Amino acid sequence: MIRVNDKFDVEWQEGMTVNSLLTILKFTFPMIIVSVNGRVVPKSEYGPTRVEDNDEVKVIHLIAGG
Amino acid sequence: MSTKDIQEMRQAHEVLAEFDYELGEVEKGYTNRTLYVNLSDNTIASKPVTQQMKDIFTGGKGFGLWLLWNGVTGDTKWNDPENEIVISSGPIGGTTQYPGSGKSLVVSLSPTTHSVIDSNVGGHFGPLLKFAGWDALEIQGKAERDVIVFIDGNAGKVTIEEAPEEAVDTHLIGEQMMEMFAKTDREKRDISTVSAGSGADHTLIGCLNFSWYDVRRKSVRFKQAGRGGIGTVLRDKKIKALVVKYSGRKGVANNPADRKRISKVGSKINKEIRDYDAVQNRMRNVGTPYLVSIMNDYDLLPVYNFRFGSHPEAEKIAGDVWEKRFTQDLPDGCWLGCTMSCSHAVDGYELRTGPYRGQVVIVDGPEYETTAGCGSNCGIFDPDALLEINFYCDTYGIDTISFGTLTAFVMECYEAGILNEEITGGLELSFGNAVAAIELLHQMGRGEGFGLIAGQGIRRVTQIFAQEYGGDPQFMHDIGMEAKGLEYSEYVTKESLAQQGGYGLASKGPQHDEAWLIFMDMVNNQLPTFEDKAEALHYFPMWRTWFGLCGLCKLPWNDIVPPDNAETDEPPKIPEHVQNYVELFSGVTGREVTKEDLITMSETVYNFQRVFNLKMGFGTREHDAIPYRSMGPVTVQEYESRAERYDKQLKELVRDDAEGKTTEEKMAALRAYREEQYEKLIDAVYKRRGWTPNGIPTPETLKRLHIDFPDMVELVRRHIE
């Protein structure tokens, strides 16, 4: 199980990446900061960066709004 | 439109008053005087701007509030002659080196909230007004017949002129004024107008349109000061248009204290926008409609009167659609030098309905709020229908946000059986019926039928529906998305307590320009305690208020971010951009400030506005109440659509096992919990802001902010004791 932002529980899957985790969560906002176990993951590395079971993931959305 | 027509219109004018003034220079962002126009007795005068006024109120909304405070009493009603419309940009307004620096702030007493309202808007009026010699325009009184007010910033002359022949609707009179007062095509760039429209004559949700001349399109464009019915006030004063003309703009027209300092931060942010907008929010191609699909993904897009937060058809009205409809590769800034350029338009749209059917027009927008409010919230997913509504709302002078939110409310009342075709005069106002929604709008423009009733706004129609049609007042109160008498802007807040407060505690009513905390709260989980939420509901409203004091747009603050923003201490605040604004304000005004000073400047005006609400008979805790639809599910259908989420919350947060309970029982338990949470939030925010538990700024708070004027202190003491 992956707990994101200490709030959202996502069932861990074999081969899960930051990209696939964001897709499951429908986190489509472009201005986000992702960290896995405290390490910030650059956007260019969302695809290759693996997320392991029980990793601590933060996806911080920068506020916006009209 | 022929030159002869314009000449005939001009010849029909009767000049009621003339006022000659000495041209002045803008000095460090200020002209140090304001223009007063009274339409009842046709007086026109200059008022000084004192150093104290600048120190305490800064400019923009601050100046507007101060002038209005002195113009009205606690008994003044929105349609009394004493009510005013004050327009002011601010000390940074008119800057061309930094994006988003052309805003105007409008302040008045609102027909729908009966208290003080403010609304911000692009277009060129505020900057041109300043270059014409005035930090603010203050209009009081009522004309007997339709007038225009013309400020000639080169001749140094202000006139009030009866204008019987001109149109009322904005797309017509905007062009007429441009043709009338520009001697050459080139001079059209030097003119801006403020107008409303026939819908503002017949409803309480009238908006103001601020114009600018689009050189590339060779046409007049408009932005709207939408909120709170100021367009209705304009027409109540029998104003067809306010016109300002100023030729001779310079790149440094504000005469800033330090040009290099401004240019330095301006160059930096402009490069940032050029380099990163395409991979961030794409404001230059899509503008605010980029939010539609995002809000839909996060269950935040209002659907069917805020019942739901997403809809499978949302993509039909999402950013991709508008990107194709908007004419691309034009510099779509609503003020000069704005590289964010998000003021997009659909060119060559042929109107399908109404009095201008068959005309080919430019539709300014739609923005996100219009798309969500008049689209998904009403179950309308037809882009052409939205263009039709957007255009007619603008030219009729009707606020698209209030129109969308109240039409959604009316549609739910219709589907709930409170209304029927007999009551609506044949309009089948069910969700998704774009034809009926458009006809409702035309009725508002014509001043007839059910449009006259609906145009009163949700708070009043709720009373009418209860008294005359037997509607259940409690149900309508629960689903009527208004607070303080103002219709909600377009975000679903059920899962964000902080944003419930962002709306409910906003000074003028539920508009998101004070705070937009949904991601920080609901998604990021960065505000877990009441104290955390209260701190955010202190900082962000104060921060965002500051833009309106200075003539600035908030979009270049956080709809673009530096690439290393993620590594800063407080990414949501965009620290580098905050520092830009410190440099910008200091550079223009010569007043050295810190980032903390900016917050104090806002806090001063914010508390002043809160006490202003008190003066008008509001401004206490009971007026910060919000409809339950903004907190949680009102109907069984709503609950069951997200039953898993709500059942989980009952179990984890309320410690109430949902097992074996009916949906109604679960809804009641959830409601009790959420309403209690909102009250606790209010307690925490009031405490953080230095207010009493009844929401009144304490005398100590007023003193700390140097607004302990005797009448204000006496006012708050009277309410505290």
Side-chain angles (χ1 to χ4, degrees):
Chain A
M1 185 71 75
I2 307 291
R3 182 148 251 233
V4 178
N5 293 348
D6 211 17
K7 180 169 181 173
F8 304 97
D9 292 325
V10 180
E11 201 68 46
W12 181 77
Q13 299 165 4
E14 186 69 40
M16 185 177 254
T17 64
V18 168
N19 249 349
S20 61
L21 178 63
L22 293 175
T23 301
I24 292 167
L25 287 161
K26 290 179 80 175
F27 281 178
T28 54
F29 187 61
M31 289 154 69
I32 55 174
I33 304 161
V34 179
S35 67
V36 178
N37 299 325
R39 187 183 74 85
V40 173
V41 181
K43 196 167 195 165
S44 57
E45 293 177 27
Y46 289 176
T49 301
R50 290 294 182 96
V51 179
E52 303 298 337
D53 200 7
N54 296 316
D55 274 353
E56 186 191 340
V57 179
K58 297 253 187 232
V59 183
I60 300 302
H61 294 58
L62 299 179
I63 54 168
Chain B
M1 197 181 323
S2 72
T3 307
K4 182 169 168 286
D5 291 339
I6 295 295
Q7 282 174 346
E8 284 175 1
M9 276 180 199
R10 188 81 194 262
Q11 282 164 5
H13 284 197
E14 181 185 346
V15 177
L16 302 177
E18 283 185 322
F19 174 74
D20 294 307
Y21 66 93
E22 282 187 25
L23 300 175
E25 284 290 313
V26 184
E27 186 60 32
K28 297 176 186 174
Y30 293 96
T31 67
N32 296 310
R33 61 185 179 180
T34 63
L35 177 63
Y36 173 79
V37 176
N38 190 311
L39 297 171
S40 291
D41 60 14
N42 293 319
T43 55
I44 307 174
S46 171
K47 291 183 176 180
V49 170
T50 64
Q51 187 60 45
Q52 185 192 30
M53 193 169 154
K54 290 193 279 189
D55 290 345
I56 293 176
F57 295 101
T58 306
K61 179 165 103 168
F63 279 12
L65 290 170
W66 175 239
L67 293 169
L68 183 65
W69 171 277
N70 290 303
V72 301
T73 71
D75 296 323
T76 304
K77 305 300 178 206
W78 74 270
N79 52 358
D80 285 341
E82 291 73 28
N83 189 18
E84 298 187 338
I85 296 172
V86 188
I87 301 170
S88 176
S89 181
I92 301 173
T95 298
T96 53
Q97 289 84 2
Y98 202 91
S101 300
K103 284 273 189 171
S104 301
L105 266 288
V106 194
V107 171
S108 188
L109 295 183
S110 162
T112 61
T113 73
H114 297 289
S115 192
V116 60
I117 190 84
D118 61 274
S119 196
N120 78 77
V121 58
H124 290 194
F125 193 90
L128 290 184
L129 177 71
K130 193 204 291 192
F131 303 149
W134 306 103
D135 283 332
L137 169 62
E138 177 188 10
I139 295 180
Q140 197 171 37
K142 274 192 200 188
E144 288 181 16
R145 286 175 287 277
D146 281 334
V147 297
I148 64 162
V149 177
F150 176 48
I151 302 161
D152 187 331
N154 295 103
K157 184 186 281 291
V158 182
T159 52
I160 304 171
E161 303 177 24
E162 275 193 3
E165 304 293 333
E166 281 83 350
V168 172
D169 288 343
T170 275
H171 80 290
L172 298 177
I173 194 168
E175 189 180 344
Q176 287 165 357
M177 293 296 97
M178 203 71 74
E179 296 293 338
M180 188 176 289
F181 292 109
K183 293 188 188 116
T184 63
D185 274 354
R186 188 176 172 79
E187 277 194 357
K188 290 178 180 176
R189 300 179 309 172
D190 305 328
I191 289 171
S192 179
T193 59
V194 178
S195 59
S198 52
D201 281 331
H202 306 303
T203 71
L204 300 182
I205 56 171
C207 76
L208 299 175
N209 290 280
F210 280 53
S211 80
W212 81 97
Y213 185 69
D214 186 325
V215 176
R216 292 283 190 89
R217 289 181 169 88
K218 298 189 186 311
S219 190
V220 190
R221 304 273 311 276
F222 301 97
K223 295 293 280 185
Q224 291 71 39
R227 304 315 327 265
I230 310 178
T232 301
V233 180
L234 188 91
R235 290 300 300 140
D236 184 65
K237 293 184 178 301
K238 294 215 169 2
I239 298 170
K240 278 187 172 171
L242 307 170
V243 187
V244 65
K245 180 179 179 186
Y246 175 76
S247 302
R249 273 178 283 187
K250 298 175 287 189
V252 287
N254 267 322
N255 277 332
D258 188 340
R259 287 170 58 175
K260 285 183 182 168
R261 206 167 168 184
I262 297 165
S263 297
K264 190 177 172 188
V265 288
S267 300
K268 190 170 61 166
I269 185 83
N270 285 330
K271 183 175 188 311
E272 197 178 304
I273 291 171
R274 281 196 301 271
D275 289 350
Y276 301 111
D277 178 66
V279 292
Q280 293 185 13
N281 290 346
R282 307 192 66 237
M283 300 296 282
R284 285 151 70 98
N285 295 91
V286 186
T288 57
Y290 86 91
L291 286 164
V292 173
S293 57
I294 291 166
M295 294 302 118
N296 194 53
D297 286 342
Y298 289 79
D299 212 24
L300 298 169
L301 182 74
V303 171
Y304 300 147
N305 193 29
F306 294 88
R307 268 188 274 180
F308 313 115
S310 61
H311 193 283
E313 293 188 77
E315 291 308 316
K316 291 181 179 174
I317 55 169
D320 292 348
V321 174
W322 298 116
E323 183 173 5
K324 293 189 186 92
R325 301 293 294 264
F326 292 151
T327 306
Q328 297 292 325
D329 302 322
L330 288 175
D332 274 334
C334 65
W335 173 241
L336 303 170
C338 183
T339 44
M340 185 148 265
S341 295
C342 65
S343 188
H344 300 300
V346 173
D347 289 289
Y349 178 75
E350 184 175 340
L351 294 163
R352 307 184 302 193
T353 67
Y356 308 117
R357 181 178 177 175
Q359 283 192 16
V360 177
V361 297
I362 298 171
V363 184
D364 289 290
E367 301 279 354
Y368 164 77
E369 300 292 332
T370 305
T371 312
C374 303
S376 58
N377 209 18
C378 295
I380 296 170
F381 298 96
D382 172 2
D384 282 329
L386 292 181
L387 289 173
E388 198 85 4
I389 292 171
N390 194 151
F391 177 82
Y392 273 111
C393 273
D394 291 351
T395 201
Y396 288 159
I398 289 175
D399 173 25
T400 58
I401 296 178
S402 280
F403 177 79
T405 299
L406 83 82
T407 300
F409 169 74
V410 165
M411 286 176 162
E412 186 163 356
C413 288
Y414 188 92
E415 294 202 343
I418 296 167
L419 303 175
N420 54 43
E421 282 193 48
E422 193 180 334
I423 294 169
T424 64
L427 294 179
E428 191 202 332
L429 282 162
S430 49
F431 285 114
N433 192 340
V435 172
I438 292 168
E439 178 53 23
L440 182 70
L441 179 55
H442 290 316
Q443 289 185 355
M444 291 178 184
R446 295 194 299 268
E448 62 181 43
F450 189 68
L452 268 180
I453 297 171
Q456 306 298 300
I458 289 176
R459 184 162 283 199
R460 266 158 213 78
V461 298
T462 298
Q463 292 168 359
I464 294 168
F465 293 174
Q467 288 164 6
E468 298 190 15
Y469 311 130
D472 176 356
Q474 182 62 52
F475 173 69
M476 288 190 291
H477 178 67
D478 283 348
I479 67 164
M481 289 296 283
E482 61 86 11
K484 298 183 173 73
L486 185 72
E487 285 74 24
Y488 268 66
S489 68
E490 309 300 339
Y491 299 97
V492 170
T493 57
K494 291 187 179 100
E495 301 310 315
S496 172
L497 178 60
Q499 188 57 28
Q500 291 165 28
Y503 272 135
L505 294 162
S507 300
K508 63 170 169 267
Q511 171 72 2
H512 58 279
D513 57 358
E514 279 196 11
W516 199 92
L517 302 173
I518 302 180
F519 281 165
M520 280 185 82
D521 186 36
M522 182 186 97
V523 183
N524 298 348
N525 200 18
Q526 289 172 304
L527 309 171
T529 69
F530 288 110
E531 287 70 27
D532 294 330
K533 289 175 172 56
E535 183 58 37
L537 281 168
H538 177 71
Y539 177 81
F540 286 102
M542 300 312 149
W543 171 241
R544 293 170 73 130
T545 291
W546 185 78
F547 295 107
L549 307 183
C550 296
L552 291 167
C553 173
K554 84 98 199 163
L555 297 179
W557 161 54
N558 73 343
D559 274 291
I560 184 81
V561 299
D564 60 353
N565 187 60
E567 290 142 40
T568 61
D569 290 344
E570 296 181 288
K573 293 183 179 177
I574 329 284
E576 183 178 314
H577 288 181
V578 172
Q579 188 57 36
N580 283 356
Y581 289 113
V582 168
E583 296 294 314
L584 189 57
F585 187 87
S586 301
V588 171
T589 66
R591 175 180 162 191
E592 287 299 324
V593 293
T594 64
K595 62 182 181 180
E596 290 80 12
D597 292 333
L598 306 187
I599 299 300
T600 305
M601 289 155 76
S602 289
E603 202 180 354
T604 304
V605 174
Y606 196 92
N607 278 270
F608 184 83
Q609 188 166 357
R610 183 72 178 185
V611 177
F612 203 155
N613 279 332
L614 200 62
K615 170 173 168 168
M616 301 315 299
F618 305 93
T620 51
R621 187 176 185 121
E622 65 182 303
H623 300 290
D624 291 335
I626 54 175
Y628 186 63
R629 173 66 54 83
S630 64
M631 292 188 210
V634 173
T635 63
V636 168
Q637 183 194 27
E638 271 170 278
Y639 188 100
E640 292 182 344
S641 73
R642 274 104 178 124
E644 187 182 346
R645 173 194 300 166
Y646 296 135
D647 285 352
K648 185 170 181 239
Q649 288 179 11
L650 276 176
K651 194 172 178 182
E652 293 180 358
L653 301 174
V654 191
R655 312 277 180 216
D656 184 333
D657 193 350
E659 196 70 30
K661 288 192 169 169
T662 65
T663 300
E664 286 82 355
E665 288 168 338
K666 290 190 281 189
M667 285 167 61
L670 188 67
R671 179 169 186 154
Y673 172 76
R674 290 193 170 189
E675 288 181 335
E676 185 188 23
Q677 294 287 298
Y678 184 71
E679 293 304 320
K680 287 180 178 173
L681 175 74
I682 288 184
D683 286 337
V685 175
Y686 286 173
K687 186 178 174 188
R688 175 62 186 88
R689 290 182 179 175
W691 297 356
T692 70
N694 196 28
I696 299 168
T698 63
E700 293 73 28
T701 300
L702 300 186
K703 187 171 184 187
R704 176 173 62 82
L705 297 169
H706 307 291
I707 49 173
D708 51 338
F709 310 129
D711 54 345
M712 286 186 63
V713 173
E714 199 269 331
L715 182 64
V716 300
R717 280 199 195 283
R718 199 159 12 111
H719 282 82
I720 291 171
E721 286 163 1

